[in-house]
């Protein structure tokens, strides 16, 4: 079933609460790519993201009877994912390796990005794989809280208000974290440009 | 030249193109179902119930009318007890005994409001200071005895 033809979240949640497991599969279909992207961009590791994705949906499934619809399902499951990923990253500490997903072939069609990448590499040749590596390394130098904000805002395109709801922090804090994280990323990527 | 804010945001966009292998989400859903079945077999009913209970507590919000209801119950209970329609202690004989003993105790106490009962004090030579005589008690034994006379009924640590 196409995502546009799926019933709304409220209906799917109600059906899951009444014991229809197929309804939860539809919620999986709708949200797993976004949740995966969120976790992946916070961990920069595909295997960890895979494990966490399954754990997040398991937790959501077990807790769905307690979900009363005070927030949207979208906010609720994102909050579960962010909290579990933050806890995981803090436990993992510095013992990790990058395990990056391949870049989609469509990246070559993003002319603006290609031009920008070319002007910011010393050789002026586009090596997107290396740029991806550097960008991920720079992201991993951020604290996990800052990385979460950058992922939700810059990668997933969420508005500040939505991020604030998910993280249960004021909108001003989201903005300040974003400002600080961008400054840090600019510095890290500047070092790469000079190399 | 350092990347500006807009350039940085465009550069971060590269992360949108990082995608898991094709068919990954379908395979992950099959894995999710397998883990669910395994978990159901492995975990005890108590732990499943406990997790559901704690997660429902996490989502529990006190409804606004609950505060009013609690206040209402308090007012009704206070007016029932206050008006004497219902008395918490039904044993009236016990109440009478307690009241009587309390009255006796009060009369035996030294008045401290300026009208001291001097007959209760010992003015003997051995105790030149004005010291109240500690009366014998029917129920308690003296804790400290000096020259065969009870000096105090208080525990030693309160000296």
């Amino acid at each position: 079933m196409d995502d546009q033809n799926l019933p709304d979240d409220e209906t799917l949640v109600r059906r899951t609460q009444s014991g229809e497991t197929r309804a939860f599969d539809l919620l999986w279909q709708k949200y797993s790519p976004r949740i995966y992207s969120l976790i992946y961009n916070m961990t920069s590791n595909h295997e960890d993201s895979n494990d966490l994705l399954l754990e997040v949906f398991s937790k959501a499934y077990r807790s769905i009877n307690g979900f009363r619809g005070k927030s949207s399902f979208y906010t609720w499951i994102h909050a579960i994912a962010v909290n579990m990923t933050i806890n995981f990253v803090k436990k993992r500490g510095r013992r990790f390796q990058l395990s990056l997903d391949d870049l989609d072939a469509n990246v070559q069609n993003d002319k603006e990005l290609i031009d920008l990448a070319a002007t910011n590499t010393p050789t002026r040749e586009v090596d997107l794989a290396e740029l991806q590596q550097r960008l991920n390394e720079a992201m991993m130098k951020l604290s996990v809280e800052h990385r979460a904000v950058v992922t939700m805002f810059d990668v997933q395109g969420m508005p500040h208000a939505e991020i604030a709801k998910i993280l249960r922090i004021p909108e001003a804090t989201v903005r300040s974290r974003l400002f600080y994280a961008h400054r840090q990323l600019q510095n890290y990527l500047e070092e790469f440009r000079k190399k | 030249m350092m990347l500006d804010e807009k350039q940085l945001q465009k550069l971060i966009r590269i992360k949108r193109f990082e995608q898991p292998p094709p068919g990954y989400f379908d395979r992950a859903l099959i894995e999710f179902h397998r883990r669910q079945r395994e978990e159901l077999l492995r975990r005890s009913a108590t732990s499943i119930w406990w997790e559901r209970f704690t997660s429902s507590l996490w989502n529990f919000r006190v409804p606004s009318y609950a505060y009013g209801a609690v206040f209402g119950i308090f007012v009704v209970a206070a007016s029932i007890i206050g008006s004497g329609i219902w008395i918490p202690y039904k044993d009236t004989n016990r109440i009478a005994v307690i009241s009587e003993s309390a009255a006796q105790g009060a009369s035996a106490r030294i008045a401290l409001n300026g009208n001291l009962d001097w007959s209760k004090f010992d003015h003997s030579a051995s105790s030149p200071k004005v010291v109240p005589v500690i009366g014998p008690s029917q129920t308690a034994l003296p804790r400290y005895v000096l020259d065969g006379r009870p000096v105090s009924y208080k525990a030693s640590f309160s000296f």
Side-chain angles (χ1 to χ4, degrees), chain A residues 65-77:
Chain A
N65 285 329
F67 177 69
R68 294 279 170 266
K70 296 273 178 190
S71 63
S72 65
F73 180 78
Y74 173 92
T75 305
W76 184 67
I77 198 159

Side-chain angles (χ1 to χ4, degrees), chain A residues 40 62 104 136 182 193, chain B residues 1 5 15 17-18 51:
Chain A
Y40 168 77
R62 289 195 300 267
D104 193 295
N136 276 287
H182 282 175
R193 211 177 66 84
Chain B
M1 193 181 72
E5 186 82 5
K15 291 189 69 57
F17 293 99
E18 290 176 17
E51 182 160 339

Side-chain angles (χ1 to χ4, degrees), chain B residues 29-104:
Chain B
L29 180 59
I30 294 167
E31 175 64 13
F32 173 71
H33 286 157
R34 193 188 63 77
R35 285 196 190 187
Q36 289 293 100
R37 282 194 300 272
E38 235 179 47
E39 195 177 17
L40 273 176
L41 293 172
R42 196 180 62 238
R43 296 172 66 206
S44 67
T46 323
S47 65
I48 293 170
W49 177 86
W50 178 251
E51 182 160 339
R52 285 191 176 168
F53 175 70
T54 49
S55 70
S56 65
L57 279 184
W58 171 257
N59 288 291
F60 182 73
R61 299 280 184 276
V62 178
S64 52
Y65 58 80
Y67 297 105
V70 168
F71 180 70
I73 291 167
F74 170 75
V75 168
V76 169
S79 42
I80 287 172
I81 294 170
S83 62
I85 296 170
W86 177 75
I87 302 164
Y89 298 104
K90 283 190 176 171
D91 190 354
T92 46
N93 289 335
R94 190 163 166 263
I95 293 168
V97 170
I98 291 167
S99 311
E100 199 181 326
S101 63
Q104 283 172 356

